[in-house]
């Protein structure tokens, strides 16, 4: 059994501490569902509390490291080689509606390369972690991507463009769904990209694709999938940390899913 490095251990501890805070707040959110005002302000505060816990913990343990955080933004560190990429609450909409599927996501980037990833499934109390060269793990159980090689037997996860995204994004996603739905065994939309990628690493999903994500949504999950033996890349061949468009699967399914998405893209160009 592999053990996390010292910095990996610190990241796991920070994710658990933030998760405990979120779990306490989640109980209150369920009670607030029946109020006319709703829990939106409360959830925003819960998000900030979780991020502050992570920031304080990691800054104390690794002074000088930089941060890229969903709420706080970019925090420049004196150590220009290392930065943490943090999403304190991935699956905010689920959390807001009292649905117990949300996560804490923390990644470490060193000299421009993703080195360590931690995703904490708070409701299930599951810690997914991975480090380059050490493999991917669920607690102390080594992870491996699913071995399915036929797309028609595969369950694929995705994320829909949310309210406020452009009409073009919604139309393009509908075309991708039209291409993917008849080709695979089923499609799931759970609402936390970090957990979707962790579940690909664990073999619970056979693949995942989504566009327009942020670095903190995907950084930790990228490390998990890679270390579990999967393939993760930008859908159109670019830089996924810049575009936020990611496709993850095992090496057999990855090109098959990519082919279906390219069919959707070709249909989009023809329609235009």
């Amino acid at each position: 059994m592999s053990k996390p490095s010292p910095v990996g251990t610190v990241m796991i501890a920070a994710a658990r501490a933030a998760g405990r805070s979120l779990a306490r707040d989640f109980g209150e959110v369920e009670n607030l569902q029946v109020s006319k005002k709703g829990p939106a302000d409360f959830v925003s505060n819960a998000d900030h509390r979780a991020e502050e816990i992570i920031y304080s913990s990691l800054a104390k343990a690794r002074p000088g490291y930089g941060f890229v955080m969903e709420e706080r933004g970019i925090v420049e560190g004196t150590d220009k080689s290392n930065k943490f990429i943090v999403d304190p609450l991935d699956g905010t909409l689920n959390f807001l509606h009292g649905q117990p599927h949300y996560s804490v996501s923390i990644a470490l980037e060193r000299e421009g390369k993703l080195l360590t990833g931690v995703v904490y499934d708070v409701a299930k109390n599951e810690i997914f972690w991975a480090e380059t060269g050490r493999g991917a793990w669920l607690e102390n159980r080594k992870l491996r991507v699913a071995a399915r090689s036929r797309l028609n037997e595969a369950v694929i996860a995705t994320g829909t463009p949310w309210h406020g995204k452009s009409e073009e994004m919604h139309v393009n996603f509908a075309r991708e769904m039209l291409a993917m739905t008849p080709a695979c065994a089923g499609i799931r939309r759970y609402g936390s990209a970090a957990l979707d990628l962790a579940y690909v690493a664990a073999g619970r999903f056979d693949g995942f694709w989504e566009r327009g994500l942020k670095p903190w949504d995907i950084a930790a999950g990228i490390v998990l999938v890679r270390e579990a033996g999967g393939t993760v890349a930008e859908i159109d061949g670019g830089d996924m940390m810049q575009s936020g468009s990611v496709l993850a699967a095992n090496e057999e399914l990855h090109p098959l899913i990519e082919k279906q998405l390219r069919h959707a893209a070709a249909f989009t160009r023809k329609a235009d």
Side-chain angles (χ1 to χ4, degrees):
M1 182 185 76
S2 181
K3 292 184 178 180
S5 67
V7 70
T9 300
V10 167
M11 291 166 64
I12 290 170
R16 284 195 183 278
R20 286 192 293 270
S21 177
L22 289 171
R24 288 191 297 269
D25 288 334
F26 185 74
E28 292 299 317
V29 168
E30 290 181 303
N31 294 331
L32 289 169
Q33 292 298 330
V34 298
S35 70
K36 289 185 178 180
K37 182 179 179 182
D41 291 341
F42 183 86
V43 169
S44 178
N45 290 331
D47 197 342
H48 282 85
R49 279 191 293 270
E51 185 171 275
E52 182 58 34
I53 289 169
I54 296 169
Y55 178 75
S56 298
S57 177
L58 296 181
K60 181 180 180 181
R62 291 295 184 275
Y65 281 25
F67 288 82
V68 178
M69 312 186 82
E70 183 179 17
E71 304 300 335
R72 193 181 293 255
I74 296 174
V75 179
E76 297 288 351
T78 56
D79 181 345
K80 303 301 181 184
S81 298
N82 292 283
K83 64 181 177 183
F84 293 110
I85 304 172
V86 177
D87 190 345
L89 175 53
D90 187 55
T92 305
L93 193 60
N94 288 343
F95 193 96
L96 176 65
H97 287 268
Q99 299 173 14
H101 189 79
Y102 58 94
S103 63
V104 179
S105 177
I106 308 174
L108 173 62
E109 183 182 281
R110 177 168 293 162
E111 296 180 349
K113 296 182 179 180
L114 293 170
L115 182 69
T116 305
V118 174
V119 176
Y120 183 30
D121 187 335
V122 180
K124 298 181 185 67
N125 192 27
E126 292 183 330
I127 281 279
F128 300 85
W129 67 273
E131 295 190 88
T132 301
R134 293 176 182 257
W137 302 80
L138 170 53
E139 305 289 353
N140 59 0
R141 179 171 67 84
K142 191 171 178 61
L143 299 179
R144 193 72 184 171
V145 293
R148 293 181 185 86
S149 59
R150 296 170 61 90
L151 188 54
N152 64 1
E153 297 175 349
V155 172
I156 310 299
T158 190
T160 57
W162 54 89
H163 178 72
K165 289 293 185 178
S166 69
E167 181 180 349
E168 180 184 12
M169 282 196 69
H170 285 275
V171 170
N172 288 343
F173 174 76
R175 288 169 177 160
E176 289 180 340
M177 285 290 286
L178 188 63
M180 285 297 304
T181 302
C184 65
I187 293 178
R188 301 290 182 265
R189 199 284 190 189
Y190 281 6
S192 169
L195 281 178
D196 287 337
L197 287 165
Y199 283 17
V200 171
R204 296 175 181 178
F205 290 143
D206 298 293
F208 167 73
W209 95 92
E210 189 170 352
R211 296 181 183 272
L213 295 165
K214 298 296 184 182
W216 48 79
D217 296 319
I218 59 176
I222 288 170
V223 185
L224 281 162
V225 173
R226 285 175 174 169
E227 286 298 304
T231 300
V232 55
E234 210 273 348
I235 295 173
D236 300 311
D239 183 345
M240 58 188 159
M241 291 295 283
Q242 294 294 322
S243 72
S245 298
V246 61
L247 169 58
N250 65 32
E251 63 180 11
E252 289 83 12
L253 288 177
H254 196 278
L256 301 181
I257 299 170
E258 183 180 51
K259 181 179 179 181
Q260 291 302 119
L261 296 177
R262 290 191 185 281
H263 285 168
F267 182 79
T268 299
R269 287 192 296 270
K270 184 178 180 181
D272 292 342

